Amino acid sequence: MASWQWFHRLGSPRWFYHKTGPWLPWLTVVALTLLVVGTVWGLAFSPADFKQGNSYRIIYIHVPAAFLALAGYYVMAICGAVGLIWKMKLAFMVMKAAAPIGAALTFVSLVTGAIWGKPTWGTWWEWDARITSMLILLFLYLGIMALQSAFQSREAADKSSAILALVGTVNIPIIYKSVDWWYTLHQPASLKLTSAPSIHSSMLYPLLLMIVGFYVFYALVLLLYTRLEIVKREARTGWVKELVNHEGTSGGPSDGLSKEDR
């Protein structure tokens, strides 16, 4: 019973907004530290690849962006499922917040992949299975964003977006397995849970640091977008009006907690 109470409390926009406020400075510091250290390590101190030279260094942006583009879609789809099943409006808010972040990461993955592909394959673009399925992922993200704007009814927009997000999950395993199922220019994954990495440790460690940094950065941006969405949707509630009034009188941001909440 206690676990279910915690679950439903987590679904409260007000509770979520108040509790996540103190996390933001810490996530910001951790994300910036990991990304700066990982970028400097990967670009300045990792050795050049014996085949690709220095062009391989794009992986320190491309690989983490691709990882988060896929993982972020699962976050969005799971939130859509939670919203449909348990009628939690916070889940729909997170789903909506995740869409533009995922679209941006997918776009970065495609662009950096093209930059990597030119010196490696001799072409900016190739309609192989991995690249094409990633392009479909971008269209899915954009489709969900379009559905959010297409309906005047917030409930209809949320439900239709959640259904599209769930249907689109079929594309994720296709992206993962595309290099194994079809002939493709794209190289096999260098990082696998079922086998040892195929990349040297001097290149691997900064890459892992960048991946973790991107995950923390994703969490930070997702929280910020979700908090913004909460304020927009809950604008007529008393606690948001109190929050806005408090920020206006204090001249700065506040976590919105009353003395009783503290």
Side-chain angles (χ1 to χ4, degrees), residues 14 18-19 239 242 255-262:
R14 179 179 182 179
H18 290 166
K19 293 300 181 182
W239 75 269
E242 180 183 351
D255 60 6
L257 289 173
S258 65
K259 294 182 179 179
E260 290 78 8
D261 291 326
R262 294 182 191 274

Side-chain angles (χ1 to χ4, degrees), residues 4-67:
W4 280 107
Q5 290 177 351
W6 178 88
F7 181 71
H8 285 285
R9 179 179 293 179
L10 184 62
S12 166
R14 179 179 182 179
W15 184 89
F16 181 90
Y17 189 94
H18 290 166
K19 293 300 181 182
T20 56
W23 301 358
L24 300 179
W26 295 100
L27 288 174
T28 301
V29 171
V30 173
L32 287 176
T33 301
L34 290 173
L35 292 176
V36 169
V37 173
T39 300
V40 174
W41 190 354
L43 297 183
F45 294 99
S46 292
D49 184 75
F50 74 100
K51 287 185 177 180
Q52 301 181 43
N54 286 316
S55 64
Y56 89 95
R57 298 184 192 275
I58 198 71
I59 68 170
Y60 296 114
I61 302 298
H62 174 73
V63 172
F67 273 28

Side-chain angles (χ1 to χ4, degrees), residues 68-83 91-103 137-138 140-145 148 158 161-166 168-169 172 218 222:
L68 264 299
L70 301 179
Y73 195 91
Y74 277 129
V75 169
M76 186 176 62
I78 290 170
C79 288
V82 171
F92 286 131
M93 296 178 193
V94 177
M95 177 192 69
K96 181 181 179 182
I101 307 171
L137 180 65
L138 176 61
L140 286 168
Y141 276 123
L142 295 177
I144 290 168
M145 293 169 62
Q148 285 290 326
D158 286 337
S161 298
I163 292 171
L164 177 58
L166 290 171
T169 55
I172 305 302
Y218 178 87
L222 183 61

Side-chain angles (χ1 to χ4, degrees), residues 128-130 133 169-184 186 188 192:
D128 79 341
R130 171 62 63 84
S133 54
T169 55
V170 70
N171 187 50
I172 305 302
I174 293 175
I175 295 174
Y176 277 120
K177 301 298 292 183
S178 57
V179 293
D180 300 321
W181 291 346
W182 296 286
Y183 173 77
T184 173
H186 202 285
K192 294 183 178 180

Side-chain angles (χ1 to χ4, degrees), residues 24-247:
L24 300 179
W26 295 100
L27 288 174
T28 301
V29 171
V30 173
L32 287 176
T33 301
L34 290 173
L35 292 176
V36 169
V37 173
T39 300
V40 174
W41 190 354
L43 297 183
F45 294 99
S46 292
D49 184 75
F50 74 100
K51 287 185 177 180
Q52 301 181 43
N54 286 316
S55 64
Y56 89 95
R57 298 184 192 275
I58 198 71
I59 68 170
Y60 296 114
I61 302 298
H62 174 73
V63 172
F67 273 28
L68 264 299
L70 301 179
Y73 195 91
Y74 277 129
V75 169
M76 186 176 62
I78 290 170
C79 288
V82 171
L84 290 173
I85 296 170
W86 285 286
K87 312 298 182 184
M88 287 188 176
K89 56 184 179 180
L90 177 62
F92 286 131
M93 296 178 193
V94 177
M95 177 192 69
K96 181 181 179 182
I101 307 171
L105 288 167
T106 307
F107 180 77
V108 169
S109 175
L110 288 169
V111 171
T112 53
I115 295 172
W116 189 5
K118 181 59 177 177
T120 305
W121 307 326
T123 179
W124 294 100
W125 184 267
E126 182 72 25
W127 291 100
D128 79 341
R130 171 62 63 84
I131 300 173
T132 304
S133 54
M134 283 296 293
L135 182 61
I136 293 173
L137 180 65
L138 176 61
F139 290 154
L140 286 168
Y141 276 123
L142 295 177
I144 290 168
M145 293 169 62
L147 283 175
Q148 285 290 326
S149 304
F151 294 89
Q152 292 185 345
S153 168
R154 171 53 53 198
E155 182 179 359
D158 286 337
K159 288 184 177 179
S160 59
S161 298
I163 292 171
L164 177 58
L166 290 171
V167 172
T169 55
V170 70
N171 187 50
I172 305 302
I174 293 175
I175 295 174
Y176 277 120
K177 301 298 292 183
S178 57
V179 293
D180 300 321
W181 291 346
W182 296 286
Y183 173 77
T184 173
L185 284 176
H186 202 285
Q187 68 185 58
S190 300
L191 302 177
K192 294 183 178 180
L193 296 176
T194 57
S195 60
S198 59
I199 182 172
H200 191 268
S201 59
S202 61
M203 305 173 183
L204 173 63
Y205 295 148
L207 178 58
L208 293 176
L209 203 63
M210 289 295 289
I211 292 173
V212 175
F214 263 71
Y215 269 96
V216 178
F217 178 74
Y218 178 87
L220 171 64
V221 178
L222 183 61
L223 286 180
L224 290 172
Y225 269 69
T226 302
R227 286 164 61 86
L228 178 60
E229 187 65 21
I230 288 173
V231 171
K232 287 181 179 179
R233 296 199 188 192
E234 302 284 293
R236 296 182 179 179
T237 61
W239 75 269
V240 172
K241 292 179 180 179
E242 180 183 351
L243 174 66
V244 173
N245 291 334
H246 186 277
E247 291 184 357

